[in-house]
Amino acid sequence: MNSFHHLPAWLLNALMADSSLALAQVTGWLDPVHFYPEDYVEDHYWGMMEEDPQAATLYALTICRDLFPAVYTRAVQHIRQGASFDELDTLICQTINEQYPLFNLTTIHDMRYGIPVEWYGIDLDSPEMLDQHPWAVDILADFGAIPEKLRGIVAFDYDDVWTAWQTAQHVVRSLVIEDRQPCADLALLLLWLFSSTENSLVDHSYEAWAEGGLEPLEWSRRTLIALREAAEQAQVIIDGALRGLDLLLGDEGYRAAFRHNIRTIAQAIQRGRKHVRLSWPDGPGDRGIEDGAGRNAEPDPAVLLVRLYRNEAD
Amino acid sequence: MFDHLMRDDLVETLCRVEPVELLGLELLRRLRPQSPGWFPDDVDINELVVATTELVDYTTTCRAALHRLQKLPPVPLTEMSVEEFSL
């Protein structure tokens, strides 16, 4: 009888004494996904119905194991403690979104569609754009592009947008050369409006990305690093563009200067002139150094970013 | 150093490698006797994260080493003549 009572302890000691069995135990405790071969995880997921919680959980755990070890550890322990699917779903999404604030993962079911980043692009040829970005219609009107009703759908004519971009390129070039605010913000606004920032997150909407036949952003370390950089740059662009938009919509004097410069460029293009010097006023908050105003010593992220476009402008 | 190393020698050498002391193993040895269940259930989560990360890295490295060993290229024996196949 005594021997029988001591059997479990003896068995555990024997298991831990053998290095392979000990490793198997600790792997079963901390890293259970290790026992699911990669092929099995893929087959298991793609072979199941889309909303199957078990398949979604296994797929999410596989991704977390590779990329988010802290999330993986917490999720495994939650499962061991009997957490429901909804609790697990919330834990994984919240923790990943906290680590990557620009992600908008709402459920682990969506992880199969790739990394869920925010897309900021404006589709000027989309009829929905008129409702989504009414300010864009207002700005494009300054360039002479007005939405028209074609075959029952109100949208921009492609040729009008193209002509507007030809003018806008010169305006951007002039703003970039100024190398100061608020010109940098205005340049970013126009680059965003015409999808020309060269940042994919800013130049594409999700629909344009998906319909363009481009692959979903795969869950890999390399993509995460690239996305983090792209998202940080996108934030600078969008922040600057929105400040520029506020300026144009809220300051009539600045808007008048903006329109005047657009007309100057358009006339120069018509006359075949290649070099036009534009004058850009200071922003409403700026005062000249001659007034004794203290300038901010911190580099302005928007101005620094716009310098990347300077080579093209020169 | 590895001249004249045969397959059995390689197996013997690999078997002699000391087991890696992983944090997860240490936690299991230390905490399981105090735990009512099969696995310890009251462990600091930060310690578990470190242990899990170390274990995943270790098993990934082992798996990669296994793949490399399975795909060792053949070694041509240029100095050995095989009379049976001479023409």
Side-chain angles (χ1 to χ4, degrees):
Chain A
M1 192 68 179
N2 278 343
S3 301
F4 183 74
H5 276 299
H6 289 126
L7 192 58
W10 177 84
L11 186 59
L12 285 175
N13 286 335
L15 285 171
M16 291 306 288
D18 182 279
S19 56
S20 297
L21 293 175
L23 185 61
Q25 287 181 83
V26 81
T27 305
W29 176 36
L30 298 177
D31 184 22
V33 171
H34 171 83
F35 295 107
Y36 293 93
E38 286 176 20
D39 292 347
Y40 177 79
V41 173
E42 291 288 323
D43 292 347
H44 186 59
Y45 185 68
W46 295 113
M48 290 284 179
M49 290 172 66
E50 283 187 14
E51 297 299 321
D52 182 69
Q54 191 179 355
T57 303
L58 191 55
Y59 190 73
L61 288 176
T62 308
I63 290 168
C64 292
R65 181 179 185 269
D66 289 341
L67 301 174
F68 313 110
V71 183
Y72 176 60
T73 307
R74 284 184 169 82
V76 167
Q77 298 311 313
H78 267 62
I79 293 171
R80 206 177 291 292
Q81 289 161 9
S84 67
F85 173 78
D86 288 342
E87 289 169 335
L88 196 66
D89 194 18
T90 304
L91 169 84
I92 293 176
C93 294
Q94 273 185 357
T95 320
I96 290 178
N97 287 338
E98 279 168 16
Q99 282 185 31
Y100 292 84
L102 293 160
F103 288 5
N104 54 357
L105 185 63
T106 51
T107 170
I108 59 175
H109 285 297
D110 290 346
M111 292 179 90
R112 61 186 296 189
Y113 302 116
I115 300 176
V117 287
E118 195 78 47
W119 298 86
Y120 300 98
I122 300 167
D123 295 329
L124 290 180
D125 53 354
S126 159
E128 289 84 28
M129 189 280 287
L130 304 178
D131 296 324
Q132 291 168 347
H133 306 285
W135 60 268
V137 180
D138 191 19
I139 302 294
L140 281 167
D142 290 353
F143 289 91
I146 310 290
E148 297 172 10
K149 192 168 186 176
L150 298 169
R151 290 184 287 277
I153 299 172
V154 179
F156 281 103
D157 182 71
Y158 178 81
D159 290 340
D160 288 348
V161 173
W162 177 250
T163 306
W165 171 230
Q166 296 303 307
T167 307
Q169 284 183 73
H170 292 277
V171 177
V172 169
R173 193 170 296 155
S174 165
L175 290 162
V176 168
I177 289 170
E178 290 290 320
D179 197 33
R180 63 181 172 87
Q181 287 289 29
C183 299
D185 287 344
L186 286 179
L188 291 177
L189 175 65
L190 293 179
L191 289 167
W192 179 32
L193 180 60
F194 289 99
S195 303
S196 300
T197 66
E198 298 181 12
N199 180 307
S200 297
L201 299 181
V202 181
D203 291 346
H204 294 89
S205 65
Y206 175 75
E207 289 76 17
W209 180 271
E211 289 168 9
L214 299 166
E215 291 291 319
L217 299 168
E218 63 165 347
W219 290 96
S220 72
R221 204 169 298 278
R222 196 175 61 175
T223 309
L224 272 183
I225 292 170
L227 265 183
R228 187 186 284 253
E229 289 179 16
E232 285 172 1
Q233 189 189 59
Q235 199 63 56
V236 173
I237 293 171
I238 298 300
D239 287 349
L242 292 177
R243 282 194 306 269
L245 182 63
D246 283 346
L247 179 65
L248 285 186
L249 298 183
D251 188 321
E252 288 183 11
Y254 214 98
R255 185 66 176 271
F258 180 71
R259 286 172 174 154
H260 172 77
N261 282 338
I262 291 171
R263 280 196 301 274
T264 306
I265 291 288
Q267 287 167 2
I269 290 174
Q270 280 182 346
R271 292 170 188 165
R273 288 173 58 195
K274 290 186 177 176
H275 299 287
V276 182
R277 181 152 184 85
L278 302 178
S279 173
W280 294 100
D282 285 339
D286 290 342
R287 285 183 295 160
I289 292 175
E290 64 275 12
D291 299 330
R295 293 291 178 127
N296 189 351
E298 292 295 318
D300 186 303
V303 173
L304 292 179
L305 179 60
V306 161
R307 284 179 187 167
L308 294 176
Y309 303 99
R310 179 140 190 170
N311 287 340
E312 295 172 26
D314 290 343
Chain B
M1 178 179 174
F2 292 112
D3 283 353
H4 311 297
L5 182 73
M6 305 304 286
R7 176 189 167 280
D8 291 343
D9 301 326
L10 178 61
V11 171
E12 192 182 338
T13 304
L14 291 174
C15 287
R16 270 193 227 142
V17 174
E18 285 290 314
V20 175
E21 196 48 49
L22 297 163
L23 177 60
L25 284 168
E26 195 262 323
L27 287 174
L28 203 55
R29 280 197 200 97
R30 179 158 52 89
L31 300 175
R32 185 149 67 181
Q34 307 156 19
S35 172
W38 182 256
F39 293 125
D41 55 2
D42 189 21
V43 190
D44 175 45
I45 190 69
N46 294 319
E47 207 166 15
L48 276 183
V49 170
V50 175
T52 304
T53 307
E54 182 189 48
L55 180 66
V56 170
D57 288 347
Y58 173 72
T59 50
T60 304
T61 307
C62 287
R63 187 174 279 179
L66 178 66
H67 284 310
R68 280 202 299 276
L69 283 173
Q70 286 173 334
K71 293 176 183 172
L72 280 177
V75 180
L77 302 174
T78 54
E79 295 177 3
M80 181 186 285
S81 62
V82 183
E83 298 298 329
E84 289 88 340
F85 293 100
S86 60
L87 296 175

